[in-house]
Amino acid sequence: MDPLAVHKALANPARADFLRWLKTPERYFDEEYYRERGVGFHIGVCVTDIRERSGLAQSVVSGYLQTLRDAGLLDSERVGKWTFYRRNEETIAAFAAYVRDEL
């Protein structure tokens, strides 16, 4: 875990929102839509839904998700033509411990 990369990733309000939305996706996204397609939030949230909720352009959302992924805060999984993102709780816990113990 690179603390500076995590700090940079979280310094953008939209990226921080993405991480917050993925913490409790059932509060922000339609879970029934996922169940009907045989997937659940355990796999993550589709980038299309994140884009729609954010109101940002696809290219911006993709770039932001890549930044969060590069910082280790997100994992992604491709299912068919869709890419799903979920939080990497291990990195988030390591960063929380870093802040608690080092800062």
Side-chain angles (χ1 to χ4, degrees):
M1 189 270 303
D2 177 355
L4 291 179
V6 173
H7 276 288
K8 288 170 110 177
L10 295 176
N12 176 288
R15 291 193 295 256
D17 283 344
F18 293 0
L19 206 59
R20 186 176 22 263
W21 297 342
L22 295 174
K23 182 176 183 178
T24 53
E26 63 281 357
R27 290 180 62 191
Y28 302 100
F29 302 98
D30 181 8
E31 191 169 17
E32 186 62 29
Y33 178 83
Y34 285 74
R35 280 194 213 126
E36 290 172 0
R37 283 146 184 83
V39 295
F41 286 145
H42 66 281
I43 198 168
V45 174
C46 182
V47 65
T48 301
D49 290 337
I50 296 170
R51 184 194 56 76
E52 287 177 6
R53 179 157 185 83
S54 71
L56 299 170
Q58 176 72 40
S59 60
V60 172
V61 171
S62 293
Y64 284 176
L65 289 170
Q66 187 61 49
T67 298
L68 290 165
R69 191 166 176 252
D70 289 347
L73 295 168
L74 295 181
D75 289 323
S76 65
E77 186 168 337
R78 192 153 179 93
V79 177
K81 62 181 183 177
W82 308 108
T83 303
F84 294 83
Y85 287 88
R86 63 182 171 275
R87 291 164 45 110
N88 181 334
E89 297 297 342
E90 184 176 318
T91 298
I92 293 168
F95 180 70
Y98 168 80
V99 170
R100 182 188 63 239
D101 299 338
E102 303 294 330
L103 296 180

